[in-house]
């Protein structure tokens, strides 16, 4: 769900087909399949907006999709000082934004300053840049980042800064209203945002990459049309008919819902292995709610989720049970943490230990809290109907144990507002992850402020200390050991029920679309695709 301003998400450009045909249109379902409430480069929070940013904004450097090494992009070269505290970037000549205004070091400095300015709705971004003290303009094409503290991702977030246009976004009141607009310097410009229908991007005619030899073979399409199709039957039908060229698939869809018609003829399905972090699905508890204060209760709730049944029934054993707050194959995932296995007896034992029992024999557990009888009832909010069947399995098992869970579907704008305001008992969501794991925004107590990413209000002084220590550790092997302890502690505290991780990436693609490979190591490579002649 949570966007991190396109930092570290933009992957680059060494593996394309330099002879790829140019032009044409591709229609795809936006990531997350919901209309972004805003595509503002600073305030937007969801994965769909981040996908739009990847095409419309440009970062100082970019990542190679095979090696994950930094490559030139807006900046043609860079330098790190001997003490590792100063990063200097030299911008290319003749960079322009989509309105024709030149892109200079002034815009780079403005972007950093805006993120760090509390007047902008950027609290979710600030943790990534708090190790940088200031950005200084050397000349119109040279900019320096100065660090105030050691942080292992300082350079990465400087290099991944998606530069904003000063003269547009510096007008704060105007900027706040630009929820359906974006002015960037990336390869595509926003053409239309049709509410409830689609976002259309058009190739930017003056994109600097057109004249850079090493960028030949990327961003070959003239038009990208992003649809907001949530209904499974509808988007699978549109893939079959050719109305959609690309969409991600679930394991169940890949195995059982992509046969017949044009499948295998005009539209093909792919199951690929790569090193792309795939995130995890989870249920989060609002730890401000008295129901979820006790760790034993949260552990009982985890024991009552039959993930093995869900993975077998709905995911065809193509997923793995999640053990904690990262991908299971990540270096930062502690191998000592085992999945919590469904066990109703253990759950009942833990609940009884915390005083939960069915005192009035009505089938629902209850407990005296602050002198009043409290039934174990709560509402879980969710915004993805495809996952409702998982929640129904969970609801049935909770009910057998004497716990009543009401599942309430909400449209995304209302869902995210309730999350930001902390007005929920429990929620179902997915989280994207990154190759290099920094848990601070999601698990440090600093992230519990309104609008922060630690919306469950998880607090642990030990986790805070370990995260702070790990962020200052430049030795990756030592950092892994510290963050594995964080992983273990969070898993033991069970602030979430961690559901599952993906072993593979699944997607559907029209036979109209050409691709140099079905996947790269660190990207599917959609940026390299083309329309076949």
């Amino acid at each position: 769900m949570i966007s991190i301003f396109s930092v570290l998400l933009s992957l680059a450009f060494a593996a394309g087909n330099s002879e790829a045909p140019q032009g044409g249109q591709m229609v795809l379902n936006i990531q997350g399949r919901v209309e972004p409430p805003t595509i503002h480069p600073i305030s937007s929070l969801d994965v769909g907006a981040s996908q739009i940013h990847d095409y419309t904004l440009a970062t100082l450097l970019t990542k190679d999709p095979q090696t994950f090494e930094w490559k030139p992009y807006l900046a043609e070269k860079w330098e790190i000082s001997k003490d590792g505290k100063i990063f200097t970037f030299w911008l290319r000549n003749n960079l322009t934004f989509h309105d024709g205004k030149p892109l200079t070091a002034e815009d780079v400095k403005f972007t950093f300053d805006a993120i760090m300015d509390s007047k902008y709705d950027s609290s979710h971004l600030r943790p990534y840049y708090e190790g940088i003290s200031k950005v200084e303009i050397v000349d119109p094409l040279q900019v320096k980042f100065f660090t105030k503290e050691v942080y292992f991702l300082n350079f990465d977030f400087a290099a991944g800064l998606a530069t904003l246009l000063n003269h547009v976004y510096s007008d704060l009141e105007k900027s706040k209203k630009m929820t359906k607009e974006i002015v960037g310097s990336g390869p595509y410009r926003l053409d239309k945002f049709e509410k409830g229908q689609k976002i259309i991007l058009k190739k930017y005619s003056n994109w600097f990459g057109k004249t850079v030899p090493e960028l030949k073979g990327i961003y070959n399409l003239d038009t990208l049309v992003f649809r907001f199709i949530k209904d499974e039957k509808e988007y699978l039908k549109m893939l079959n008919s050719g109305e959609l060229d690309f969409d991600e698939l679930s394991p169940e869809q890949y195995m059982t819902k992509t046969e017949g018609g044009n499948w295998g003829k005009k539209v093909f399905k792919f199951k690929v292995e790569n090193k792309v972090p795939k995130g995890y699905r989870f249920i989060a508890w609002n730890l401000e709610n008295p129901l979820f204060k006790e760790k034993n209760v949260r552990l009982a709730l985890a024991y009552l989720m039959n993930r093995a049944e869900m993975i077998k029934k709905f995911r065809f054993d193509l997923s793995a049970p999640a053990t904690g707050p990262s991908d299971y194959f990540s270096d930062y995932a502690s191998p000592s943490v085992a999945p919590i296995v469904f066990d109703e007896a253990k759950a009942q034992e833990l609940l009884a230990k915390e005083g939960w029992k069915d005192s009035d024999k009505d089938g629902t557990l209850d407990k005296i809290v602050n002198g009043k009888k409290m039934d174990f009832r709560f509402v879980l909010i969710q915004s993805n109907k495809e996952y409702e069947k998982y929640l129904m399995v969970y609801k049935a098992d909770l009910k057998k144990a004497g716990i009543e869970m009401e599942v309430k579907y909400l449209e995304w704008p209302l869902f995210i507002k309730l999350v930001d305001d902390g007005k929920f008992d429990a929620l179902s969501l997915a989280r994207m992850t990154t190759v290099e794991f920094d848990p601070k925004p999601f698990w440090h107590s600093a992230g519990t402020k309104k609008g922060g990413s630690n919306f469950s209000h998880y607090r642990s002084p030990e986790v805070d200390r370990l995260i702070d220590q790990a962020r200052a550790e430049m030795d990756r092997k030592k950092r892994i050991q510290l963050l594995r302890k964080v992983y273990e502690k969070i898993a033991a505290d069970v602030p979430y029920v961690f559901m599952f991780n993906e072993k593979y990436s699944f997607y559907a693609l029209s036979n109209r679309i050409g691709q140099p490979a079905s996947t790269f190591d660190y990207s599917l490579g959609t940026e390299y695709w083309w329309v076949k002649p």
Side-chain angles (χ1 to χ4, degrees):
M1 175 196 79
I2 304 297
S3 163
I4 56 170
F5 191 48
S6 293
V7 288
L8 303 185
L9 296 180
S10 181
L11 294 172
F13 318 120
N17 175 8
S18 62
E19 304 302 319
Q22 301 296 296
Q25 171 179 288
M26 183 168 71
V27 183
L28 59 162
N29 219 359
I30 199 164
Q31 198 168 0
R33 300 193 180 101
V34 293
E35 178 180 347
T38 174
I39 56 171
H40 193 286
I42 293 180
S43 61
S44 58
L45 290 167
D46 63 271
V47 70
S50 181
Q51 188 179 21
I52 299 302
H53 297 165
D54 287 345
Y55 286 97
T56 56
L57 304 176
T59 50
L60 292 173
L61 304 181
T62 189
K63 288 279 193 176
D64 186 283
Q66 276 301 120
T67 65
F68 211 62
E69 294 177 354
W70 286 112
K71 301 290 184 181
Y73 198 37
L74 287 177
E76 59 185 351
K77 62 179 180 177
W78 67 94
E79 179 181 88
I80 301 175
S81 63
K82 289 182 179 180
D83 61 5
K85 294 182 178 180
I86 302 172
F87 316 134
T88 306
F89 298 90
W90 286 265
L91 301 175
R92 298 180 190 273
N93 283 303
N94 303 318
L95 296 173
T96 61
F97 288 98
H98 297 157
D99 66 351
K101 298 292 184 183
L103 187 159
T104 70
E106 182 181 359
D107 299 295
V108 179
K109 174 176 167 53
F110 162 74
T111 304
F112 171 79
D113 291 344
I115 290 172
M116 303 310 291
D117 189 341
S118 60
K119 294 178 184 176
Y120 287 84
D121 187 10
S122 58
S123 60
H124 58 294
L125 298 175
R126 242 167 269 145
Y128 299 105
Y129 292 94
E130 60 189 10
I132 298 171
S133 60
K134 62 180 178 178
V135 173
E136 284 189 357
I137 299 169
V138 179
D139 60 49
L141 297 180
Q142 187 180 353
V143 63
K144 289 181 181 287
F145 288 72
F146 293 83
T147 61
K148 60 185 176 184
E149 59 188 42
V150 177
Y151 170 39
F152 76 100
L153 288 177
N154 270 338
F155 178 79
D156 289 42
F157 284 109
L161 185 68
T163 304
L164 300 183
L165 180 54
N166 182 10
H167 87 88
V168 169
Y169 291 99
S170 60
D171 184 336
L172 186 59
E173 292 308 309
K174 179 182 177 181
S175 169
K176 286 181 178 179
K177 298 174 183 177
M178 293 175 64
T179 59
K180 303 290 189 271
E181 303 173 63
I182 194 164
V183 183
S185 59
Y188 292 86
R189 60 175 178 78
L190 179 67
D191 182 57
K192 292 180 182 178
F193 192 138
E194 296 183 20
K195 184 174 176 59
Q197 295 297 317
K198 57 195 170 186
I199 293 173
I200 301 175
L201 305 182
K202 294 281 189 180
K203 189 77 174 284
Y204 176 45
S205 59
N206 290 326
W207 177 53
F208 70 91
K210 292 170 64 175
T211 62
V212 179
E214 59 265 34
L215 299 185
K216 194 173 182 183
I218 189 167
Y219 299 125
N220 305 302
L221 301 160
D222 278 345
T223 306
L224 293 166
V225 180
F226 294 86
R227 298 297 308 273
F228 320 132
I229 312 298
K230 293 183 290 185
D231 184 77
E232 179 188 64
K233 288 183 179 179
E234 186 177 356
Y235 65 71
L236 289 176
K237 180 181 176 182
M238 291 174 70
L239 285 165
N240 200 349
S241 67
E243 296 173 82
L244 275 180
D245 293 309
F246 168 74
D247 201 356
E248 297 175 338
L249 298 174
S250 70
E252 182 181 15
Q253 291 165 350
Y254 177 85
M255 293 296 293
T256 69
K257 300 184 179 183
T258 47
E259 302 291 340
N262 287 319
W263 289 102
K265 301 171 184 177
K266 293 185 178 181
V267 58
F268 295 91
K269 59 183 180 179
F270 294 81
K271 169 188 156 190
V272 298
E273 284 190 85
N274 53 40
K275 299 176 183 177
V276 178
K278 297 166 183 63
Y280 55 92
R281 194 87 200 170
F282 62 90
I283 287 175
W285 313 114
N286 186 341
L287 303 188
E288 300 288 281
N289 186 319
L291 282 176
F292 310 115
K293 287 284 188 184
E294 301 300 329
K295 183 168 75 172
N296 279 337
V297 170
R298 301 193 299 271
L299 183 55
L301 292 167
Y303 276 126
L304 288 169
M305 177 172 283
N306 196 337
R307 290 174 299 165
E309 179 187 350
M310 294 175 181
I311 289 171
K312 182 178 180 180
K313 184 175 181 180
F314 302 131
R315 309 189 79 78
F316 297 83
D317 290 325
L318 294 171
S319 301
T323 61
S326 183
D327 294 88
Y328 77 100
F329 58 80
S330 168
D331 291 337
Y332 296 97
S334 174
S336 68
V337 180
I340 296 174
V341 179
F342 179 71
D343 193 325
E344 187 177 353
K346 280 188 179 179
Q348 293 283 16
E349 181 183 335
L350 289 166
L351 290 165
K353 187 176 181 179
E354 295 300 331
W356 289 100
K357 58 184 179 179
D358 185 6
S359 65
D360 52 11
K361 307 302 179 185
D362 65 350
T364 302
L365 298 179
D366 56 75
K367 178 182 178 179
I368 301 300
V369 178
N370 296 326
K372 294 182 179 181
K373 184 170 81 73
M374 174 186 283
D375 286 339
F376 206 133
R377 302 176 187 270
F378 65 92
V379 177
L380 180 144
I381 60 172
Q382 64 104 4
S383 65
N384 188 331
K385 289 185 177 179
E386 285 182 31
Y387 284 90
E388 198 164 290
K389 56 196 172 193
Y390 297 85
L391 299 175
M392 291 302 104
V393 171
Y394 189 40
K395 178 178 180 177
D397 286 326
L398 288 173
K399 186 171 181 61
K400 289 176 187 175
I403 296 171
E404 294 287 340
M405 178 178 79
E406 177 188 348
V407 178
K408 191 171 185 179
Y409 171 81
L410 301 173
E411 293 293 336
W412 180 251
L414 178 57
F415 176 91
I416 198 63
K417 185 179 188 308
L418 292 179
V419 172
D420 284 345
D421 291 343
K423 295 179 179 179
F424 67 93
D425 299 330
L427 61 83
S428 171
L429 207 52
R431 174 163 293 148
M432 301 299 290
T433 52
T434 52
V435 174
E436 292 300 330
F437 179 52
D438 179 9
K440 181 168 184 177
F442 309 108
W443 298 109
H444 196 286
S445 59
T448 58
K449 297 174 184 176
K450 183 176 179 179
S453 298
N454 186 353
F455 43 72
S456 64
H457 294 92
Y458 173 74
R459 295 179 177 87
S460 165
E462 181 185 357
V463 167
D464 285 357
R465 178 183 61 79
L466 288 167
I467 288 175
D468 291 340
Q469 187 179 347
R471 282 166 61 94
E473 180 55 70
M474 298 303 290
D475 185 313
R476 191 172 188 269
K477 289 183 179 179
K478 293 180 180 178
R479 188 168 65 250
I480 286 172
Q481 295 308 309
L482 288 168
L483 290 179
R484 282 184 177 180
K485 291 178 182 178
V486 169
Y487 190 99
E488 291 163 7
K489 175 63 176 170
I490 292 170
D493 286 341
V494 281
Y496 292 1
V497 177
F498 297 99
M499 295 176 68
F500 36 76
N501 294 144
E502 302 304 336
K503 298 179 181 179
Y504 308 96
S505 294
F506 304 91
Y507 64 92
L509 186 66
S510 166
N511 69 342
R512 296 177 54 250
I513 307 299
Q515 51 183 171
S518 58
T519 187
F520 298 115
D521 276 356
Y522 291 95
S523 169
L524 283 184
T526 55
E527 302 95 329
Y528 300 96
W529 295 355
W530 62 85
V531 172
K532 295 176 182 176

